[in-house]
Amino acid sequence: MSDPESAILTALSAEEGSTIADTYAFAASHNFDHNQVVGVSKSLEGDAYVTLKELSTQFFVLQKEANDISTNGSQEVRVLNALVKAGDAGLSIPALQQEVGKDISKIGMGNCLKNKWAKKDKASGNLIAIVSEAKDDVREQLAALQAANGDPKALDDKAVQALKRRKLISLVTRKSYTVSRGPDYKPKRVKKAADLTKEMLDSGSYKTTTFKEYNFQTLGESVGGGYLHPLLKVRAEFRKILMQMGFEEMPTSKWVESSFWNFDSLFQPQSHPARDAHDTFFIKEPAATVSVPEDYYERVKTMHESGGSGSIGYRYDFKREEAFKNLLRTHTTAISSQMLYKLANQEGGFQPARYFSIDRVFRNETMDATHLCEFHQVEGLVADYDLSLGDLIGTIETFFKKIGITKLRFKPAFNPYTEPSMEIFGYHPDLKKWTEIGNSGMFRPEMLAPMGLPENVRVIAWGLSLERPTMIKYRIDNIRNLFGHKVDLAMTRNAPICRFEGGEEEEKQQQ
Ligand code: PHE
């Protein structure tokens, strides 16, 4: 015959109220697969050609043993027949097993004794028939059920329970549908158009075309595109916090620096071990910078060689080719230095300023679970008249409080460019321990004086890595899972937005 779709529509075409009572029977009579009929019916329902009503039909199916009983009789009748045939002496159990088989004899014997069709002879132990024949109820019940297509109503409840107990039948529930005409029924399906085409517009056929309705429930196509890396999410949050604190972002968008800005301007002696190729990546091509501000260069050179502003300097021969060597910046403090130089020499003279940056730096490190050759530094500085160590501690406390670290400790440290210098330790509430989270200090006069900053201008500054708070925030324990070529892209795609609410948390606790 035809396909299920036209068969269904044809079946409903006879008159207004025609229905297909049960898709299951319909499929069977048309030789269709029922699942296919259901699929087509649902698709027709989607276009309102038909309305469906779910049917749930329960019926019994015969188990394997029941089929055997239907053809050969119940076990008890077969045992009885064997016993009747054996006559008055009856049969021993092995002989009975021989006759009807082990399984049949076991079940049949039990039922014969229970039905009082047979008895056990005490003297011989043989089974002897008491009746000469019996009606095979079980076989008849199964036959009746089969004739009624498993309809549970074909048998009384007691019989059903007995057959179920013997595991001869089991109940099956089948889902099917009653199909009737829907509001938009037509005897032939017209596929709705999904798109308006140029041809439709040209010919005007769009006026009579039926279009698919919009499906506002459907999920949109997933949008590909970029995702912010966790480091960038934390950077966005830090940037917001620092801007709220009145800090202005420094232009750090270059990775190659001269040794002059990276080290010399920071009063880091040219013999300092950090200036060794073991610690710093020097650039081969171009190996040297083109120029530095010459008058400032001279003042820096003098400060290194013989001091000034109360310092005796380092007392060595300051080398120009050492200062001009290009490198991958080892810290963003190279930019802080340039910004302070600009601040001292800008038109109108020095003005107080707050600067920050969050950008990449490079160090020739042995790589392990927490170290890579490149990382990102968060750096902040405040330049103003008569600042004190108290201002530095206060600024640092405000910043860290905003990123959720409320308990801080400071440990005296050494940096060539700061005095005093303090390492910053934070108590991590998750890890329940104190960890080093940053470095800080007040820039030395040997650094500030050659720039030309007024004498009582102090600069407080601090720096930390972006990686450490990011790893803590995103519970990443190996830096190689955060940054580099082995990073799982799905991690980037799925990383949640970063929010730091530590400060508010503490305020709540205090209330
Ligand atoms: N430049 C320092 C570092 O790389 C951080 C720092 C910045 C320290 C400013 C003191 C002042 O660790």
Side-chain angles (χ1 to χ4, degrees):
M1 225 217 128
S2 57
D3 61 294
E5 185 178 277
S6 43
I8 292 169
L9 294 175
T10 308
L12 299 178
S13 69
E15 56 188 288
E16 188 75 41
S18 325
T19 60
I20 294 165
D22 186 339
T23 45
Y24 192 81
F26 180 82
S29 68
H30 287 75
N31 234 336
F32 292 141
D33 171 44
H34 183 233
N35 283 334
Q36 207 192 347
V37 170
V38 170
V40 168
S41 302
K42 288 194 169 165
S43 154
L44 285 168
E45 188 191 32
D47 283 349
Y49 275 61
V50 302
T51 330
L52 299 182
K53 213 175 95 221
E54 199 178 289
L55 293 174
S56 162
T57 318
Q58 291 200 312
F59 55 96
F60 284 110
V61 289
L62 303 198
Q63 302 303 91
K64 196 163 152 254
E65 198 183 311
N67 285 323
D68 182 38
I69 292 174
S70 302
T71 34
N72 301 316
S74 68
Q75 295 93 332
E76 51 271 36
V77 167
R78 280 148 85 178
V79 166
L80 177 66
N81 288 342
L83 294 180
V84 169
K85 209 172 90 194
D88 292 344
L91 288 174
S92 69
I93 292 171
L96 178 64
Q97 286 178 349
Q98 187 86 47
E99 194 69 26
V100 298
K102 222 173 171 176
D103 292 342
I104 306 280
S105 96
K106 194 171 152 223
I107 300 167
M109 200 165 74
N111 285 333
C112 278
L113 291 172
K114 204 169 79 198
N115 293 348
K116 302 225 166 17
W117 292 353
K119 64 174 185 197
K120 203 167 191 173
D121 182 53
K122 287 215 178 84
S124 62
N126 280 6
L127 283 162
I128 302 169
I130 302 174
V131 298
S132 57
E133 62 179 332
K135 197 153 87 58
D136 198 342
D137 283 340
V138 172
R139 185 186 197 169
E140 277 170 23
Q141 286 160 357
L142 291 173
L145 202 55
Q146 237 170 347
N149 285 326
D151 184 350
K153 289 196 279 297
L155 296 179
D156 65 42
D157 216 38
K158 219 175 109 205
V160 166
Q161 292 311 325
L163 294 177
K164 265 169 72 177
R165 224 176 299 122
R166 282 178 75 162
K167 299 203 166 62
L168 294 175
I169 57 173
S170 69
L171 192 64
V172 170
T173 307
R174 182 182 60 218
K175 258 202 200 163
S176 56
Y177 295 87
T178 297
V179 188
S180 46
R181 286 190 188 185
D184 290 346
Y185 172 80
K186 281 181 211 75
K188 227 176 131 41
R189 192 177 197 182
V190 186
K191 270 263 176 229
K192 290 185 181 176
D195 293 307
L196 179 66
T197 62
K198 175 181 177 291
E199 289 69 31
M200 289 176 187
L201 293 171
D202 286 346
S203 68
S205 71
Y206 71 91
K207 289 179 205 156
T208 49
T209 306
T210 339
F211 289 95
K212 267 192 180 162
E213 289 77 26
Y214 282 111
N215 179 1
F216 294 110
Q217 250 74 49
T218 192
L219 290 175
E221 242 177 70
S222 68
V223 183
Y227 297 87
L228 283 185
H229 185 275
L231 281 171
L232 293 178
K233 291 186 182 172
V234 175
R235 182 178 74 167
E237 190 71 2
F238 280 14
R239 182 183 265 155
K240 196 179 82 191
I241 289 168
L242 286 158
M243 303 228 259
Q244 281 170 351
M245 289 174 68
F247 285 77
E248 201 181 311
E249 190 160 14
M250 297 189 271
T252 45
S253 55
K254 55 173 179 174
W255 291 345
V256 175
E257 262 315 331
S258 63
S259 295
F260 179 75
W261 285 113
N262 195 83
F263 293 126
D264 297 314
S265 72
L266 291 158
F267 198 54
Q268 192 145 338
Q270 293 188 326
S271 60
H272 193 282
R275 301 182 65 155
D276 195 280
H278 292 299
D279 287 317
T280 300
F281 293 112
F282 288 95
I283 304 289
K284 278 194 191 137
E285 186 64 50
T289 190
V290 184
S291 69
V292 296
E294 280 303 329
D295 52 339
Y296 173 54
Y297 171 88
E298 282 307 321
R299 295 196 296 274
V300 169
K301 175 177 151 71
T302 310
M303 186 59 83
H304 279 242
E305 287 182 338
S306 53
S309 298
S311 171
I312 59 167
Y314 288 124
R315 303 180 168 211
Y316 70 98
D317 251 351
F318 189 87
K319 296 216 172 57
R320 192 172 175 88
E321 57 292 1
E322 199 58 49
F324 271 55
K325 276 184 187 167
N326 274 336
L327 44 73
L328 289 177
R329 67 173 175 223
T330 64
H331 51 190
T332 43
T333 318
I335 305 291
S336 301
S337 188
Q338 285 164 61
M339 293 304 285
L340 288 168
Y341 172 77
K342 267 201 196 133
L343 208 52
N345 296 285
Q346 70 192 2
E347 222 177 290
F350 169 80
Q351 286 291 322
R354 293 160 178 254
Y355 290 136
F356 81 95
S357 66
I358 307 173
D359 213 338
R360 193 171 300 182
V361 299
F362 305 84
R363 288 183 196 174
N364 197 353
E365 301 243 24
T366 313
M367 295 195 266
D368 60 26
T370 52
H371 293 87
L372 293 178
C373 288
E374 48 193 311
F375 67 97
H376 299 82
Q377 208 165 41
V378 184
E379 174 144 336
L381 67 89
V382 183
D384 205 344
Y385 296 100
D386 300 317
L387 292 174
S388 70
L389 196 63
D391 292 303
L392 177 58
I393 292 174
T395 308
I396 289 171
E397 277 178 350
T398 308
F399 172 73
F400 280 99
K401 189 177 158 188
K402 283 178 186 283
I403 64 169
I405 302 170
T406 49
K407 286 197 221 165
L408 289 180
R409 277 180 183 169
F410 298 94
K411 181 180 152 191
F414 173 79
N415 290 314
Y417 38 90
T418 53
E419 182 61 35
S421 311
M422 305 184 298
E423 273 171 5
I424 309 163
F425 284 75
Y427 185 77
H428 195 273
D430 266 9
L431 306 174
K432 299 211 182 323
K433 63 173 189 190
W434 291 94
T435 43
E436 201 210 312
I437 47 173
N439 190 1
S440 68
M442 300 187 69
F443 285 137
R444 295 182 76 104
E446 289 98 326
M447 169 183 165
L448 302 181
M451 292 174 171
L453 285 164
E455 219 207 301
N456 56 340
V457 165
R458 305 278 177 271
V459 181
I460 58 178
W462 79 98
L464 63 140
S465 88
L466 184 62
E467 277 75 359
R468 182 164 291 187
T470 305
M471 285 170 76
I472 292 170
K473 192 82 186 167
Y474 287 94
R475 306 283 194 281
I476 295 168
D477 55 8
N478 190 323
I479 199 159
R480 282 166 283 213
N481 295 332
L482 175 69
F483 193 75
H485 64 287
K486 285 186 182 160
V487 165
D488 176 14
L489 281 182
M491 182 275 291
T492 301
R493 200 175 307 133
N494 300 328
I497 295 172
C498 157
R499 283 280 146 75
F500 289 97
E501 287 171 346
E504 289 167 29
E505 202 53 44
E506 198 185 53
E507 274 160 36
K508 263 185 247 146
Q509 279 167 13
Q510 282 168 355
Q511 279 165 8

